[in-house]
Amino acid sequence: MNTQIIRNFSELDTVTKGWRVNQETIAVVPTMGALHEGHLSLVQIAKRYASRVIVTIFVNPKQFDQDSDLVSYPRSEESDIRKLAPLSVDVVYVPELEEIYPSDFATTISVSGVTDSLCGAFRKGHFDGVATIVAKLFCQTKADIAIFGEKDFQQIHVIKRMVQDLNLPTVIKNAPTIRETDGLAMSSRNAKLTSQEREVAPQLYNCLLSATKKLEDGTPVAEVIDQTKAEILEAGFKSVEYLELRTEQDLSPLTELTAPSRLLVAAWLGKARLIDNVALGPVKIPARKGPGRQPIRELA
Ligand code: AMP
């Protein structure tokens, strides 16, 4: 099957209207390019849910809080299209800037509440940019379903909130984080790491895993957070923006491991801001019989 590379909305509109007439279902995978196995895994999932798959590649200027980050963001359209070829997607939509933001574009979608903390607190305007581009791409692609990676866990919550609030017809599906063999979450931003930093980077995930174990063993949350921040810095990271335990369901802060939750982190290593998160379940502390506590994992 031939993948169509489409650069303007009117052409995309003609294609998707044809699909609609034929009762086809459409899945979209929004990306900013510099594709890696994480992105490709979303495409595989999309193929399971819909008869037509569109991958979008658009480096969205509105979601960058720093110009330097936008300028240095990796762009590799040719190799991205090559990587997508074996997956036989129907369309790779690579819109020109004008197709998304014409000069008189005046709308911003701003989701409050869920964007106030974590990445939202450190990257002003970032989630406005994300919500605006995602809504625009949902409309342009007429997507029935869209796949997003859990690596950007807060982003999924922002998008789900927007979809619910605006009654958008697109169903959102989560996809698990794909990692390098040493545990580092794949990210286009990993390209910013020097070879020395690249060796340090997997420690972020290792620190999350050891924190998870301590939390599930019943160590108090505040203690684990403090210890783990110190470990991340000791490993060679420059700073930790946040390390927080939040509920899986709505990202409310947790001071005890009482609900299915995520431990989420953002930390700087050289010029790269890395984010990651792990899932963890509540522990039930049974009545103490002998020495030590015996936590029982309730959720698989
Ligand atoms: P980006 O191109 O970085 O904006 O990401 C596009 C989509 O790919 C988002 O839904 C991300 O959450 C997802 N994604 C990025 N990295 C990974 C990863 N390592 N595993 C799974 N999904 C990812």
Side-chain angles (χ1 to χ4, degrees):
M1 189 196 66
N2 279 343
T3 299
Q4 280 182 271
I5 314 297
I6 296 181
R7 295 181 190 278
N8 64 72
F9 172 56
S10 67
E11 198 184 329
L12 180 70
D13 199 38
T14 304
V15 169
T16 52
K17 277 181 179 149
W19 290 345
R20 280 266 166 263
V21 168
N22 292 325
Q23 317 266 303
E24 305 248 28
T25 50
I26 303 172
V28 66
V29 179
T31 81
M32 295 209 297
L35 300 184
H36 50 64
E37 291 295 325
H39 297 113
L40 302 184
S41 76
L42 308 193
V43 177
Q44 301 279 19
I45 293 170
K47 291 184 69 156
R48 296 211 302 263
Y49 282 108
S51 57
R52 300 289 183 177
V53 173
I54 303 173
V55 175
T56 68
I57 298 178
F58 180 67
V59 181
N60 174 32
K62 287 193 190 290
Q63 73 185 72
F64 286 81
D65 52 324
Q66 286 176 10
D67 288 346
S68 58
D69 193 22
L70 172 61
V71 171
S72 67
Y73 198 82
R75 289 164 174 81
S76 52
E77 188 187 309
E78 257 179 50
S79 91
D80 289 347
I81 290 170
R82 257 199 318 274
K83 285 177 190 166
L84 288 169
L87 297 176
S88 303
V89 300
D90 296 276
V91 167
V92 182
Y93 182 47
V94 199
E96 305 292 347
L97 188 65
E98 273 288 300
E99 298 295 316
I100 301 291
Y101 303 126
S103 55
D104 54 355
F105 188 88
T107 299
T108 299
I109 297 186
S110 190
V111 180
S112 62
V114 65
T115 57
D116 291 347
S117 59
L118 304 171
C119 287
F122 289 90
R123 303 187 68 192
K124 289 291 167 211
H126 167 67
F127 284 123
D128 288 0
V130 169
T132 305
I133 185 63
V134 167
K136 176 106 186 182
L137 290 171
F138 284 1
C139 293
Q140 287 200 337
T141 59
K142 306 180 194 56
D144 297 293
I145 191 155
I147 320 294
F148 291 90
E150 289 182 354
K151 186 178 82 68
D152 301 279
F153 199 71
Q154 188 178 16
Q155 173 170 281
I156 293 181
H157 276 275
V158 173
I159 291 163
K160 285 186 174 170
R161 182 78 259 155
M162 172 182 77
V163 164
Q164 200 172 327
D165 288 354
L166 300 181
N167 299 109
L168 299 181
T170 310
V171 173
I172 309 303
K173 294 282 177 195
N174 297 13
T177 301
I178 303 298
R179 299 179 180 281
E180 305 285 355
T181 47
D182 58 11
L184 175 65
M186 290 189 182
S187 166
S188 313
R189 289 199 161 79
N190 294 349
K192 292 186 172 186
L193 299 170
T194 63
S195 56
Q196 217 173 355
E197 288 159 359
R198 177 63 189 80
E199 298 209 340
V200 170
Q203 291 308 320
L204 192 63
Y205 180 54
N206 291 338
C207 288
L208 286 183
L209 289 183
S210 74
T212 300
K213 184 161 186 320
K214 288 178 202 162
L215 290 167
E216 291 184 336
D217 283 348
T219 313
V221 173
E223 196 179 306
V224 175
I225 297 284
D226 284 351
Q227 278 175 10
T228 309
K229 279 183 179 169
E231 281 165 22
I232 294 169
L233 295 175
E234 257 167 52
F237 280 75
K238 201 163 58 181
S239 62
V240 179
E241 273 189 358
Y242 64 78
L243 173 67
E244 294 196 36
L245 185 68
R246 298 287 181 116
T247 61
E248 178 103 17
Q249 203 195 345
D250 64 2
L251 288 183
S252 303
L254 275 175
T255 50
E256 284 181 62
L257 191 55
T258 48
S261 53
R262 292 265 162 172
L263 186 61
L264 304 110
V265 69
W268 283 90
L269 182 56
K271 292 197 171 82
R273 179 181 179 275
L274 303 184
I275 60 170
D276 203 345
N277 67 84
V278 291
L280 54 168
V283 286
K284 200 191 282 166
I285 311 296
R288 187 186 274 244
K289 286 200 182 117
R293 295 190 291 179
Q294 295 283 309
I296 297 166
R297 183 96 193 252
E298 281 185 333
L299 294 181

